[in-house]
């Protein structure tokens, strides 16, 4: 099964896709999210969100600045203050 991942800024929806795993730079440290992860919410620090499209794949890196991450029954949503191009 795949994890549904959304990356959102105040201005727009940046990304919405099914992926294998996402590693998020949480304020208390990095955390990885796979399909079926327990509900969870965290603030995020400036850093790189790593998106693994499939198991064993090289991650795509997306730089974010501040915000929140929420894991729920619909997957992972990262609400970033800013996404670096």
């Amino acid at each position: 099964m795949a994890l549904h991942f959304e990356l959102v800024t105040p201005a727009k929806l940046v990304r919405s896709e099914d992926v294998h795993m996402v590693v998020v730079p949480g304020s208390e440290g990095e955390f990885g999210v796979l399909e079926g992860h327990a509900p969870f919410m965290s603030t995020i620090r400036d850093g790189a969100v790593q998106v693994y499209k499939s198991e064993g794949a090289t991650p795509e890196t997306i730089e974010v600045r501040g915000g929140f991450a929420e894991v729920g029954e619909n997957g992972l949503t990262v609400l970033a203050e800013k996404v670096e191009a």
Side-chain angles (χ1 to χ4, degrees):
M1 298 216 29
L3 169 70
H4 186 71
F5 167 60
E6 290 192 346
L7 176 59
V8 182
T9 67
K12 66 179 180 176
L13 174 64
V14 176
R15 181 80 56 97
S16 179
E17 63 186 328
D18 290 339
V19 299
H20 173 68
M21 179 175 75
V22 179
V23 178
V24 181
S27 57
E28 300 287 321
E30 291 186 343
F31 59 92
V33 180
L34 293 162
E35 173 65 29
H37 195 289
F40 179 78
M41 187 169 212
S42 174
T43 54
I44 58 174
R45 60 178 164 73
D46 296 355
V49 172
Q50 299 171 55
V51 181
Y52 293 81
K53 297 219 181 217
S54 61
E55 188 173 357
T58 300
E60 176 184 356
T61 301
I62 305 167
E63 290 292 325
V64 296
R65 301 289 171 249
F68 296 89
E70 180 181 18
V71 180
E73 57 185 54
N74 294 330
L76 168 66
T77 302
V78 174
L79 307 164
E81 293 174 12
K82 185 175 180 182
V83 173
E84 300 292 322

